[in-house]
Amino acid sequence: MTWSEEEYLDCLRSERRGYAWVMEHHGGVPPAEAEEAALRRYPYEPDGDPYRGLVFHEEAWHWAMSAVHGDRYVAEHPELVDPSPEYRALG
């Protein structure tokens, strides 16, 4: 996908916000640590990086739930497969 810098940064901010929210609300991680975790999960990738934005193929909900509950969260916690209304409200 070809991203403008503005589109990429908007998506990056949104995914970081969602990841941090899940880490805080489902993982019990303090806000500052949740934000640090989001920055590690979603580092800035420079324009021209061949895999720039590949992490966006799954939304932050999935990556954060995997971090909190493990890769089998879908089977072990089927109630968490779909993002909560509160998460969706982050917009």
Side-chain angles (χ1 to χ4, degrees):
M1 176 175 187
T2 303
W3 305 82
S4 73
E5 188 68 6
E6 183 178 340
E7 291 170 323
Y8 174 76
L9 291 175
D10 284 346
C11 192
L12 187 62
R13 280 189 290 270
S14 176
E15 294 301 290
R16 284 175 175 170
R17 182 175 52 250
Y19 189 91
W21 186 92
V22 172
M23 295 301 287
E24 186 177 347
H25 290 87
H26 288 272
V29 176
E33 290 178 33
E35 288 179 27
E36 289 174 20
L39 289 172
R40 283 191 306 274
R41 183 68 179 123
Y42 291 94
Y44 175 82
E45 299 169 301
D47 191 18
D49 184 317
Y51 300 109
R52 186 182 201 199
L54 183 61
V55 70
F56 302 146
H57 81 279
E58 289 282 356
E59 69 181 305
W61 176 269
H62 166 74
W63 296 122
M65 284 298 171
S66 291
V68 170
H69 296 291
D71 291 335
R72 292 191 36 81
Y73 85 90
V74 173
E76 294 170 0
H77 299 280
E79 73 280 7
L80 299 174
V81 171
D82 295 316
S84 68
E86 295 84 6
Y87 172 87
R88 289 282 183 224
L90 295 173

